[in-house]
């Protein structure tokens, strides 16, 4: 029988404690061991996503992806990561000890969040306390234009994008945000591309743009100080993929621009019927449709090849594009080559980030002549194209209202140039503190970065008129030629420091910065006449005989520069995404300002309350998200010429004395040491919402912008001043309005979706006053002087207490028995002949500034099919029918429209007199774009997918206006509703078109 071993309890405890002694560190280490996980978050197109929230589930530990889609987070090996982002489905992924986790997010239209790019940073839309509109690439319009701003035409509430000649391959659109803000300074917004202020829209391929963020109110744009008054458009370009794979994409598009013949003029036969009987010598024996002779269908083909790839540590993206476009006039064209390269690298330990962007472009231009269409309308249709007596020469237009042969101008004369653009920037970022992400503790981050940038633009233009031109012969020259060179450079240095912390629901961010920018313009020009051969063109100006005569000088040079320096900072705070506040301040100086006002402060403050996060809202299930916000900010405008504050010298011509020519110099203007920026005081109240599980979402804003210290020329006494006008800061203007943006998920099924986006905006403008205590201006001034014949006078008036855009004309009362105008007197009590009417009988007879603009985007998808229908319109405004004014009455000496002998046949004697007879309602609704697409999901070893689409633009317009397409009228700026050539009213125009685009996108 075995003896039982006796076990003493103290020994058992000893062994247990001994085991725990050795095992405890391992157990503690297992609990506290952490690993650093990093990766890239991309969308369905393998493009990096900015601002994706990456969180360790069950903790407050988290991170946000940067502009390259990368994140880095220290977590437990057994934890789960949660990825969430607006418009994408939330994903949860177990770490399982992995150190690299790349995620591809899937679309989810019901998501509530959205990341927007603001000045010097990014924010989740939930954190926004100011008015910022975000447009991503998937919402852009298809365009065949050199100007990417056309991709958002009508898509953003309060933003007016107008292109008066979309089919001219060299024409850019004008952009205006929240109404007119200045008299004599610039009206366009500041363009920021990848963080670099002062970007050039013509040097960016639309296929390279990831998103546009429009900073509309003062609080959002005040961080840009003296350039923020007209709003800011922040463009973010696409970056390289980071999934470790190589990606290639080809985008190609072919566009046909078909001219719309909107002005129905007399044919040769009709001209002989209606006009030759009163002037038999006007029948010149031919039959020419001059509009047809100078018009063609314009074609554009453009191609982009994109290569991208990389990992979470390094990535690249390179795109190369080619575009060749011809205008609808027989001369204009544009051929350009461009590229954009982006390289980003993060050091192994995450201490340093490097990024470099470079974008070269070269364009060869042959310019159109808008005057050619005006001349073609004036031209006698019985004039043959070529001179019957000398078929080698074009017909001579001597004695006609049309001053020259428009076909001869476009075919014989050369007018174009070469444009070279080069933009580059480089950034180095130092992460001073690693991300501290321990459960229950605060998260801190501290970084600093330095950015260098350089932007260059060179234009080398030419013009040549051969000796065989009738105009050259008329001027008695054997050929004329000129060359012009201009160069623009912008150097930038910007430093940023960023700090962020989070503790128990409290989150604060601070940013400080310094900006230095130097701008330089320079140029030269030369011209000559009387060449020995037309074969020299503009390439040997020195061989011309004309400038060899003593006293003739056909050359010049110029140079000017300016400097802008700023210190700025921003502080933002929020508590549990519920209570939000942001404040910023910019202290900026400009060399353009006078000695007394070199520097200025531009503060801004905004606050928001996400009501939906309150406990009392939890039972209201039909509200997903609800936030109210308000802000106030001060902005400036320094977009005016250099040296206007200084006493500068000017040349007053050359004078011959005692056998020599002398150039006389003297003071060029009155100096103004008090010259400063225009100041905008802006406040905005808004609400953002999402309801019914994302079925309805949107925002509403009310804004009030008061623009003070408006720049302009004012009358001053002589003496003590040398000149009768001085450029000073006087005057006040106000813009108010409401903006609405609604998104409706009308249908969402497995294979079919239908979404609607509605955008609408009102604008009310008033010029409050022209004078201040020092300078007194008149209560009004007239502008838009209409061109001859008959010297009609000025069409619009800006007046204190009145809205901009007012037409100031006689009030139409009828046509008398002699076929002349009858108008109302100033008291509206008596009808008087136009010969008896005085200037004081004129009155406000309409307004060219739209009171309401709107658009509607309908997006339908069925399996791989896509259909987008886009409509836009403008309402509550008037247009001056300038073409009826010049060509719609029979008494004019030129060719005329058919309506001159139908609708206006009674006006037998009346000339083009400024009455409201020619002012019509300009309201319109336009079926602006329809796109049908199909995507082939191929996914073989050669090709991932192929997307084919066809787009029609400017397909139909519903309007009561009897002139050309009302959307081609400039309805922003100081003279809305008026056709302008510079500052003068004109009948020159460029016909509108219907465009048909065929496109393909191949992903390899």
């Amino acid at each position: 029988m075995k003896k039982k071993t006796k076990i003493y309890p103290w020994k058992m405890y000893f062994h247990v404690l001994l085991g725990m002694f050795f095992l405890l560190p391992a157990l503690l280490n297992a609990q506290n061991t952490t690993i650093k996980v990093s990766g890239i978050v991309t969308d369905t197109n393998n493009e990096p996503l900015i601002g994706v929230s990456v969180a360790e589930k069950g903790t407050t530990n988290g991170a946000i992806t940067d502009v390259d889609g990368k994140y880095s987070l220290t977590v437990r090996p057994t934890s789960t990561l949660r990825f969430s982002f607006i418009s994408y489905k939330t994903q949860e992924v177990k770490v399982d000890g992995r150190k690299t986790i790349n995620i591809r997010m899937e679309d989810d239209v019901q998501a509530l969040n959205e990341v927007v790019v603001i000045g010097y940073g990014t924010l989740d839309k939930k954190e926004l306390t100011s008015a910022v509109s975000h447009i991503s690439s998937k919402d852009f319009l298809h365009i065949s234009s050199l100007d990417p701003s056309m991709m958002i035409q009508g898509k953003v509430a309060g933003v007016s994008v107008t292109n008066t000649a979309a089919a001219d391959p060299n024409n850019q659109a004008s952009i205006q945000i929240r109404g007119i803000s200045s008299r004599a300074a610039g009206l366009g917004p500041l363009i920021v591309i990848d963080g670099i202020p002062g970007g050039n829209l013509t040097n960016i391929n639309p296929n390279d743009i990831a998103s546009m963020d429009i900073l509309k109110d003062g609080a959002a744009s005040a961080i840009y100080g003296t350039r923020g008054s007209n709003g800011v458009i922040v463009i973010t370009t696409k970056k390289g993929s980071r999934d470790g794979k190589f990606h290639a994409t080809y985008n190609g598009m072919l566009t046909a621009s078909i001219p719309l013949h909107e002005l129905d003029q007399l044919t040769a036969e009709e001209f002989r019927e209606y006009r030759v009987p009163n002037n038999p010598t006007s029948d010149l024996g031919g039959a020419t449709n001059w509009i047809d002779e100078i018009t063609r269908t314009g074609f554009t083909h453009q191609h982009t090849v994109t290569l991208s790839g990389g990992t979470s540590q390094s990535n690249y993206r390179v795109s190369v594009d080619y575009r060749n476009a011809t205008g609808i006039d027989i001369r204009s064209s544009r051929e350009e080559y461009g590229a954009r390269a982006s390289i980003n690298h993060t050091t192994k330990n995450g201490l340093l980030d490097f990024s470099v962007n470079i974008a070269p472009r070269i364009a060869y231009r042959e310019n159109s002549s808008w005057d050619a269409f005006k001349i073609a309308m004036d031209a006698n249709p019985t004039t043959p194209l070529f001179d019957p007596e000398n078929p080698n020469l074009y017909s001579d237009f001597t004695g006609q209202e049309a001053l020259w042969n428009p076909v001869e101008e476009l075919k014989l004369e050369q007018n174009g140039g070469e444009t070279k653009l080069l933009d580059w920037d480089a950034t180095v970022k130092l992460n001073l503190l690693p991300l501290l992400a321990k459960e229950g503790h605060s998260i801190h981050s501290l970084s600093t970065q330095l950015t260098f940038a350089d932007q260059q633009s060179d234009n080398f233009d030419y013009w040549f008129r051969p000796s065989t031109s009738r105009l050259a012969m008329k001027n008695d020259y054997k050929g004329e030629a000129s060359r012009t060179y201009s160069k623009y450079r912008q150097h930038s240095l910007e430093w940023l420091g960023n700090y962020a912390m989070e503790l128990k629901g409290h989150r604060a961010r601070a940013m400080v910065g310094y900006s230095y920018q130097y701008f330089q313009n320079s140029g030269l020009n030369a011209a000559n006449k009387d060449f020995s051969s037309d074969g020299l063109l503009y390439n040997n100006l020195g061989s011309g005989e004309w400038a060899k005569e003593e006293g003739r000088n056909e050359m010049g040079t110029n140079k000017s520069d300016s400097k802008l320096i700023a210190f700025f900072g921003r502080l933002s705070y929020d508590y549990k995404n519920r209570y939000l506040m942001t404040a910023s301040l910019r202290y900026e100086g400009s060399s353009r300002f006078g000695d007394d006002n070199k520097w200025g402060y531009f503060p801004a403050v905004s606050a928001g309350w996400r009501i939906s996060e309150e406990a009392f809202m939890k039972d209201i299930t039909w509200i997903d998200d609800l936030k109210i916000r308000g802000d106030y900010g001060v902005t400036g405008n320094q977009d005016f010429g250099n040296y206007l504050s200084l006493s500068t010298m000017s040349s007053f011509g050359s004078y011959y004395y005692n056998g020599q020519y002398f150039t006389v110099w003297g003071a060029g203007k009155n100096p103004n040491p008090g010259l400063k920026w225009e100041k905008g005081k802006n406040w905005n109240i808004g609400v953002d919402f999402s309801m019914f599980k994302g079925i309805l979402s949107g925002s509403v804003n009310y804004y009030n912008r008061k623009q003070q210290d408006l720049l302009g020329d004012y009358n001053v006494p002589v003496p003590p001043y040398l000149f009768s006008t001085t450029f000073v800061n006087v005057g006040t203007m106000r813009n108010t309005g409401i903006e609405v943006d609604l998104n409706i998920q009308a249908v969402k099924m497995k294979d079919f979706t239908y979404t609607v986006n509605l955008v609408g905006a009102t604008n009310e403008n008033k010029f409050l006053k022209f004078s201040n205590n020092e300078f007194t201006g008149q209560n009004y001034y007239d502008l838009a002087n209409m061109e001859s014949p008959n010297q009609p006078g000025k069409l619009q008036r800006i007046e204190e207490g009145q809205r901009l855009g007012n037409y100031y004309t006689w009030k139409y009362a009828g046509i008398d028995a002699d076929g002349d105008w009858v108008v109302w007197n100033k008291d509206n009590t008596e009808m008087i002949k136009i010969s008896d009417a005085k200037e004081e009988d004129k009155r406000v007879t309409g307004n060219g500034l739209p009171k309401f603009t709107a658009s509607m985007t309908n997006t339908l998808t069925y399996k791989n099919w896509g259909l987008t229908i886009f409509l836009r319109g403008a309402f509550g405004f008037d247009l001056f029918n300038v073409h009826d004014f010049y060509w719609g009455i029979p008494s004019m000496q030129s060719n005329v429209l058919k309506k001159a002998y139908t609708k206006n046949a009674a006006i037998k004697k009346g000339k083009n007199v400024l009455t409201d007879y020619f002012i019509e309602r300009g309201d319109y609704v336009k079926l602006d774009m329809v796109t049908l697409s199909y995507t082939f999901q191929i996914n073989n070893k050669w090709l991932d997918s192929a997307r084919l689409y066809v787009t029609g633009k400017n397909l139909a317009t519903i309007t009561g206006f009897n002139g050309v397409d009302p959307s081609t009228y400039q309805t922003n700026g100081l003279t809305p509703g008026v056709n302008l050539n510079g500052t003068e009213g004109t009948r020159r125009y460029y016909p509108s078109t219907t465009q048909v685009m065929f496109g393909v996108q191949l992903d390899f």
Side-chain angles (χ1 to χ4, degrees), residues 544-565:
E545 297 295 327
W546 188 86
K548 292 181 180 180
E549 184 175 330
E550 186 178 3
R552 289 176 174 172
N553 184 3
E554 287 291 302
M555 61 182 178
T557 60
N558 64 85
K559 184 178 180 180
S560 67
D561 64 355
S562 64
K563 189 183 298 182
L564 198 64
I565 298 175

Side-chain angles (χ1 to χ4, degrees), residues 160-229:
S160 170
V161 180
T162 304
N163 193 334
T164 56
D168 181 347
N170 298 302
N171 195 56
Q172 282 187 262
S174 65
I175 312 170
Q176 187 173 281
I177 298 176
R178 289 187 166 180
I180 305 160
S181 61
S182 179
R183 273 187 60 209
L187 298 174
L190 174 67
I191 305 297
V192 178
I193 301 177
D194 287 334
I196 308 301
N200 189 339
L201 283 176
T202 62
N203 192 25
I204 185 165
N205 181 351
N207 292 299
D208 290 333
I209 299 178
S211 65
M212 292 189 191
D213 295 275
I214 295 87
L215 317 185
K216 296 189 288 188
D217 65 3
S221 54
I223 197 68
Y224 289 105
T226 59
R227 292 179 292 175
S229 274

Side-chain angles (χ1 to χ4, degrees), residues 334-398:
R334 184 184 183 92
E335 183 180 22
E336 62 182 282
Y337 308 81
R340 182 171 292 271
S342 171
I343 302 173
N344 303 275
H345 175 70
T346 302
T347 57
K348 186 176 181 180
N349 56 11
L351 182 65
L352 292 170
D353 293 333
F354 299 94
S355 65
V356 177
N357 300 287
I358 185 168
R361 184 169 300 274
I362 184 169
Y364 302 97
R365 298 173 283 106
E366 191 68 39
N367 299 326
S368 63
S369 171
W370 292 23
D371 280 327
F373 288 97
K374 176 184 76 172
I375 296 298
M377 289 295 298
D378 281 340
N380 183 335
T382 68
T383 309
L385 181 59
F386 291 96
D387 188 340
E389 298 180 2
N390 191 345
N392 294 321
L393 296 177
Y394 286 94
S395 288
D396 186 2
F397 273 40
T398 300

Side-chain angles (χ1 to χ4, degrees), residues 616-629:
F616 60 81
M617 294 289 292
K618 297 303 180 185
D619 294 333
I620 306 178
T621 58
W622 56 276
I623 296 180
D624 309 321
D625 193 70
L626 179 63
K627 177 178 64 179
I628 60 173
R629 47 184 167 75

